[in-house]
Amino acid sequence: MNTVTLTIKTQPELYLELEKVNPDTFAGKKADEIAKLPVFQGKEILTLGDFFTVTGEAGATAADTKIVINGDCTKMKYIGAKMTAGEVVVNSACDMYTGSWMKGGKLTVNGDVHSFCGLAMAGGEFTINGNAGNYLGAAYRGDWRGMSGGVLRVKGNAGSDVATFMTGGTLIVEGNVDIHLGTHMEGGTIILKGNANRRVGGQMVKGEIYVYGTINVMMPGYKPVGDIELDVDGTKSKFVDYIGDLGERHPKRKGETVYGHLYMKK
């Protein structure tokens, strides 16, 4: 795998949109070609080379390309967005839309991410070694298609409205979350190692939510149906199994009603 290293030399005055910073766009290009790729700062179109020193060269395909970004990326948006293969490592915190619409490959952020990251993620592996903001793994505003595949892991805490309209994939938060976790969920798996504020699984139709900590206020539409031992994220634990959200319409499979499951660790 060939490596391209981007090192920040000039901080943008406004937030910088880096939709071209992914292995799919870099594939087959040398450093000078990558430096000429367009970036947006407000309404102004500039080049990647105006803000970064570019070294190395990409592989022939996205799968053969690794991108390493060094320097302060807190004003950088869309890093790794829409990537389908390869690897991206960001050695900093970064801004909105990081890893959004991702379909494959591996994205690692060694810091925090802002809100709206991992939107509509469909595949790949996205790891955040810090905290995440609001609407992580959710649907884009006005849309109803949230995360549908892949694995998204946050080593710290996450904000509100995480995994809204989730339909597939696995989202793991090792810390705590704020309100509205898994709202409108229609599939997929959420694993919360810490605590949730309230309104977990509101209007959930299908899918699974595992909570290892506490929920400040449990939604009234959930009914306990028994205890169960499950292997979750490599560890066996005992849970109380709640079905719901009972206030929602639920499909039937082979004559039986399909519910979402909210598992609370005992």
Side-chain angles (χ1 to χ4, degrees), residues 134-158:
N134 303 329
Y135 293 97
L136 177 75
Y140 189 78
R141 279 187 169 175
D143 201 351
W144 60 93
R145 291 163 291 191
M147 182 176 176
S148 62
V151 178
L152 202 172
R153 183 184 293 269
V154 182
K155 295 297 183 72
N157 303 320

Side-chain angles (χ1 to χ4, degrees), residues 233-253:
D233 198 28
T235 304
K236 281 189 177 181
S237 301
K238 290 184 178 180
F239 297 87
V240 179
D241 182 8
Y242 292 80
I243 59 171
D245 184 340
L246 298 179
E248 288 299 299
R249 48 103 182 137
H250 289 273
K252 288 192 174 183
R253 183 185 299 131

Side-chain angles (χ1 to χ4, degrees), residues 16 22 45 55 87 107 115 142 152 186 198 205 256:
L16 197 65
N22 61 62
I45 302 176
T55 58
E87 184 175 359
L107 172 60
S115 299
L152 202 172
E186 298 216 15
R198 59 192 186 277
V205 176
E256 294 188 5

Side-chain angles (χ1 to χ4, degrees), residues 124-136:
E125 182 181 343
F126 182 8
T127 301
I128 300 160
N129 287 316
N131 300 316
N134 303 329
Y135 293 97
L136 177 75

Side-chain angles (χ1 to χ4, degrees), residues 16-238:
L16 197 65
E17 298 182 11
L18 301 178
E19 294 183 74
K20 301 295 184 181
V21 178
N22 61 62
D24 299 79
T25 304
F26 280 20
K29 295 180 176 64
K30 297 185 182 300
D32 59 337
E33 296 174 295
I34 293 169
K36 293 175 184 176
L37 290 171
V39 297
F40 284 87
Q41 182 180 233
K43 294 183 179 180
E44 190 175 13
I45 302 176
L46 299 166
T47 69
L48 204 58
D50 290 326
F51 300 94
F52 294 89
T53 299
V54 183
T55 58
E57 64 179 63
T61 66
D64 297 323
T65 301
K66 178 178 180 178
I67 301 170
V68 177
I69 306 175
N70 297 319
D72 184 2
C73 296
T74 51
K75 295 175 74 173
M76 313 286 182
K77 304 181 182 208
Y78 292 100
I79 295 172
K82 300 181 182 179
M83 65 183 285
T84 67
E87 184 175 359
V88 178
V89 178
V90 185
N91 291 315
S92 164
C94 46
D95 201 56
M96 298 163 63
Y97 303 117
T98 302
S100 293
W101 306 285
M102 182 177 174
K103 295 182 179 179
K106 184 177 180 180
L107 172 60
T108 304
V109 176
N110 292 316
D112 299 339
V113 299
H114 210 290
S115 299
F116 298 102
C117 291
L119 290 185
M121 180 177 173
E125 182 181 343
F126 182 8
T127 301
I128 300 160
N129 287 316
N131 300 316
N134 303 329
Y135 293 97
L136 177 75
Y140 189 78
R141 279 187 169 175
D143 201 351
W144 60 93
R145 291 163 291 191
M147 182 176 176
S148 62
V151 178
L152 202 172
R153 183 184 293 269
V154 182
K155 295 297 183 72
N157 303 320
S160 67
D161 299 281
V162 170
T164 300
F165 286 110
M166 184 180 190
T167 64
T170 301
L171 191 153
I172 305 160
V173 179
E174 297 188 8
N176 304 321
V177 298
D178 205 345
I179 62 173
H180 294 297
L181 173 67
T183 302
H184 301 296
M185 192 171 170
E186 298 216 15
T189 300
I190 298 172
I191 302 169
L192 174 63
K193 300 292 183 71
N195 304 320
N197 190 346
R198 59 192 186 277
R199 298 177 188 171
V200 174
Q203 297 181 301
M204 180 182 183
V205 176
K206 291 187 291 183
E208 300 169 339
I209 301 176
Y210 300 86
V211 179
Y212 281 72
T214 61
I215 297 176
N216 189 15
V217 179
M218 175 72 83
M219 291 284 294
Y222 281 85
K223 174 184 176 181
V225 293
D227 297 349
I228 187 170
E229 185 175 42
L230 298 168
D231 190 335
V232 182
D233 198 28
T235 304
K236 281 189 177 181
S237 301
K238 290 184 178 180

